[in-house]
Amino acid sequence: MSSCCCSSRDRISDLPDEILGKILSLVPTKVAVSTSVLSKRWRMNNNNNLLALVDTLSFDESMVVYPNEEAVSGSSDRFLDFLDKTLRNCPTKTIKKFSLSHRGGRFTKSPAVYGWILSAMEEEESLLEEVHLECTRVEVSLERKLLRSNTLVKLTLSREYCLEVDRVYFPALKSLSLLTVGGLDYNNYRRLIKGCPLLEELFITDIGADAVDPYPPCCTASVKSASIKRLVVSVDMPYGGPRNEHSFRDLHYQSYVKAPSLVYLDYSSHVFMNYRFLDLDSLAEVRLNLKLWDRHKPIYGDVTNLAAGIRNITTLHLSPDSLEAFHFCCKSMPVFKNLLDLSIQSNKKKCWQVMPLLLNSCPNLHTLVFKGLVHRVTDKCGDACACTPNNKHNKKMKKKSKVISCLWTCPVKVLEIVEYGGSFQELKQMRHFLGKLECLETVRVGGIHADNTIFLRANLLSLPIVSSNCNNIHFI
């Protein structure tokens, strides 16, 4: 027993290099470097380089805890010194994935670290497939006559980067993320997109712009690519500063998308005055979050051309804000002849005014999904809603003529309610749906809390169903 306790073996050093490299590639590089104290074999020297075993480098300054704000500047420089020293001992040819997130510092004016990154990208025998770069404070300038990589498949630029390039060539790039890149102007953005002939995924955001010096959306306002199949756009630049004569609203004039191969679009923004959505015949699924300029009157924006541009889709997801945007800012609703699946998210502060028009514009709708049924009640919700206020005017109108509900002609076969809470308004709305959707075959209800399961299920199961093809409600 004592001999076993006294004897010690460095079992880590017995592992093959391939296994060690895989293990170390799974942790942040600073942690990987610190493990050199575990084994003599792991210590860095001229003959034995630990970093030669890894294929992933990950540096994140946000993991460093500083005692106060004053310590951040000097400590950031020390972090970058560590980064510089580490990269000097790391060969560029073996890395497949590189990630860096830092605050910035005096280092940002030095080409050392970013010189290594660019060299790794341009290396003829490089294995580099992914690069993710984020700088949160001091701007980093990336100036290049030719920015290229024959192997790069995925690239992310986030926050404080200024890109100045004459030409870009990324023949293998499939996924590009430009996340509120403050120093990226339109011309360099256009060169970047043009230099990616096989690009399939594009994620772009313009969020939190300077309220003192407003500027128009750049990347998010114009997308033109023959190859992209998946596009995610998020613009959140709603208001100018109190001393500005022009608000961000005035800078949101036109949104342009031309992408003949596009299949999926996720678009979130305050409403632009005009949209040019062209050559989107391949588009199948769209997720919209269109927000009104609620601090500006009269209502600004026109989504008519946006709606027309996506009219051939098969799946549509609408946020509560989008319902109001379509109601107030769409001059004419197109016929969505191919739309099979419609998903609506509800909010107690947002109305359903556009619902009758929207449902009447979907002649082949198969599945209707509601994420919540509670919404703001108005006298303009129409016959899709059971919550129209019972005022005297409405009673007189009902006596004069019998209104034909849009639900009676709606071809929906599957109705799904997510996050059902069981309130009186929700139960009333369910009665309205089940009593008027004559083509229903399947009803699914989910989100019922365990405490009220029996009671709420009993209430729903007692509701009359007008469709002879629907005999029960399924709880999910």
Side-chain angles (χ1 to χ4, degrees):
M1 178 72 69
S2 60
S3 61
C4 291
C5 294
C6 294
S7 63
S8 61
R9 291 185 60 190
D10 185 357
R11 295 186 181 275
I12 296 177
S13 291
D14 292 338
L15 295 173
D17 286 352
E18 292 78 9
I19 301 299
L20 291 176
K22 292 295 182 183
I23 294 173
L24 296 174
S25 294
L26 294 174
V27 300
T29 303
K30 191 170 184 178
V31 175
V33 172
S34 67
T35 59
S36 62
V37 300
L38 299 176
S39 169
K40 292 181 180 180
R41 180 185 168 202
W42 288 28
R43 292 174 189 170
M44 290 186 192
N45 53 57
N46 292 331
N47 299 319
N48 187 23
N49 187 356
L50 171 68
L51 293 178
L53 303 178
V54 304
D55 60 13
T56 299
L57 294 177
S58 178
F59 303 92
D60 188 351
E61 192 180 358
S62 66
M63 297 177 64
V64 181
V65 179
Y66 299 115
N68 52 57
E69 187 68 21
E70 295 179 357
V72 171
S73 179
S75 297
S76 291
D77 288 338
R78 287 195 295 273
F79 170 80
L80 294 168
D81 286 338
F82 158 76
L83 178 60
D84 188 16
K85 181 180 177 181
T86 302
L87 292 180
R88 291 179 189 275
N89 289 284
C90 184
T92 58
K93 294 182 179 180
T94 60
I95 303 303
K96 293 182 179 180
K97 181 178 179 180
F98 182 90
S99 299
L100 170 61
S101 176
H102 67 103
R103 295 175 174 88
R106 60 174 172 79
F107 152 81
T108 55
K109 297 182 180 179
S110 169
V113 172
Y114 281 92
W116 185 96
I117 298 170
L118 293 172
S119 295
M121 290 170 57
E122 297 172 356
E123 179 73 47
E124 289 295 336
E125 300 178 7
S126 174
L127 299 176
L128 192 62
E129 296 179 351
E130 289 190 37
V131 172
H132 306 278
L133 303 176
E134 179 184 43
C135 184
T136 58
R137 292 196 178 185
V138 182
E139 187 178 88
V140 175
S141 179
L142 299 177
E143 298 182 10
R144 215 70 172 172
K145 290 288 185 181
L146 173 62
L147 183 64
R148 66 178 179 87
S149 171
N150 292 327
T151 60
L152 201 61
V153 175
K154 197 169 188 176
L155 173 63
T156 300
L157 288 179
S158 180
R159 310 282 292 277
E160 300 303 321
Y161 286 96
C162 179
L163 187 65
E164 290 286 344
V165 292
D166 291 342
R167 184 167 170 252
V168 176
Y169 185 57
F170 291 143
L173 197 72
K174 297 288 185 69
S175 179
L176 175 62
S177 298
L178 302 173
L179 310 179
T180 316
V181 184
L184 181 61
D185 63 22
Y186 177 74
N187 289 330
N188 284 287
Y189 160 69
R190 184 172 54 83
R191 294 186 192 107
L192 183 56
I193 299 299
K194 190 177 180 180
C196 307
L198 298 182
L199 188 64
E200 294 183 355
E201 297 181 336
L202 180 59
F203 305 87
I204 45 180
T205 64
D206 275 319
I207 298 174
D210 189 352
V212 177
D213 184 21
Y215 54 86
C218 172
C219 310
T220 52
S222 179
V223 177
K224 182 180 180 181
S225 171
S227 61
I228 60 170
K229 298 178 180 179
R230 183 179 179 88
L231 175 61
V232 178
V233 176
S234 180
V235 192
D236 190 8
M237 301 164 60
Y239 307 112
R243 298 180 182 178
N244 291 323
E245 295 181 3
H246 302 286
S247 69
F248 284 120
R249 182 202 67 177
D250 302 315
L251 300 174
H252 287 61
Y253 179 71
Q254 179 173 274
S255 178
Y256 175 80
V257 175
K258 186 175 183 180
S261 301
L262 192 64
V263 176
Y264 175 85
L265 172 64
D266 186 337
Y267 187 91
S268 177
S269 172
H270 280 78
V271 177
F272 280 71
M273 177 53 71
N274 186 34
Y275 290 86
R276 294 185 65 201
F277 278 32
L278 309 174
D279 295 347
L280 300 180
D281 292 338
S282 299
L283 190 59
E285 182 174 359
V286 172
R287 187 177 299 272
L288 291 178
N289 181 26
L290 301 170
K291 292 163 282 189
L292 296 176
W293 298 88
D294 53 19
R295 294 188 186 180
H296 298 273
K297 293 183 179 180
I299 291 176
Y300 180 93
D302 188 346
V303 301
T304 305
N305 290 337
L306 184 155
I310 64 171
R311 65 186 179 276
N312 293 320
I313 60 175
T314 58
T315 303
L316 177 61
H317 308 269
L318 294 176
S319 69
D321 289 293
S322 296
L323 293 178
E324 291 200 334
F326 272 113
H327 176 68
F328 290 107
C329 302
C330 191
K331 296 177 182 177
S332 61
M333 186 73 70
V335 175
F336 295 95
K337 61 181 180 180
N338 298 325
L339 193 67
L340 300 176
D341 302 302
L342 175 61
S343 176
I344 303 292
Q345 184 177 359
S346 296
N347 183 291
K348 63 181 181 181
K349 296 181 179 180
K350 303 298 178 180
C351 308
W352 278 12
Q353 299 104 312
V354 78
M355 282 297 296
L357 178 60
L358 182 59
L359 291 177
N360 283 329
S361 301
C362 306
N364 298 304
L365 191 62
H366 179 273
T367 302
L368 181 59
V369 179
F370 286 92
K371 188 175 181 180
L373 291 173
V374 178
H375 57 279
R376 185 161 67 90
V377 179
T378 73
D379 59 356
K380 297 180 181 179
C381 281
D383 49 22
C385 176
C387 309
T388 304
N390 292 321
N391 54 44
K392 294 182 180 180
H393 176 71
N394 287 333
K395 290 181 179 180
K396 289 181 180 179
M397 291 296 293
K398 289 180 180 179
K399 289 180 180 180
K400 288 182 179 180
S401 62
K402 183 179 179 181
V403 178
I404 299 177
S405 173
C406 66
L407 299 180
W408 288 339
T409 58
C410 184
V412 166
K413 290 181 172 59
V414 179
L415 175 66
E416 182 173 324
I417 312 299
V418 184
E419 298 182 4
Y420 180 76
S423 67
F424 176 76
Q425 182 183 354
E426 290 170 282
L427 184 63
K428 187 178 179 181
Q429 186 62 50
M430 284 298 296
R431 181 187 296 274
H432 189 67
F433 282 148
L434 298 180
K436 288 184 169 56
L437 290 171
E438 297 182 347
C439 298
L440 268 186
E441 296 178 2
T442 303
V443 178
R444 295 192 288 260
V445 179
I448 297 178
H449 297 295
D451 296 340
N452 300 321
T453 299
I454 297 177
F455 176 72
L456 295 182
R457 287 188 178 188
N459 283 342
L460 288 172
L461 291 173
S462 67
L463 297 177
I465 301 176
V466 69
S467 174
S468 59
N469 296 320
C470 184
N471 300 318
N472 206 346
I473 297 177
H474 303 278
F475 297 95
I476 55 177

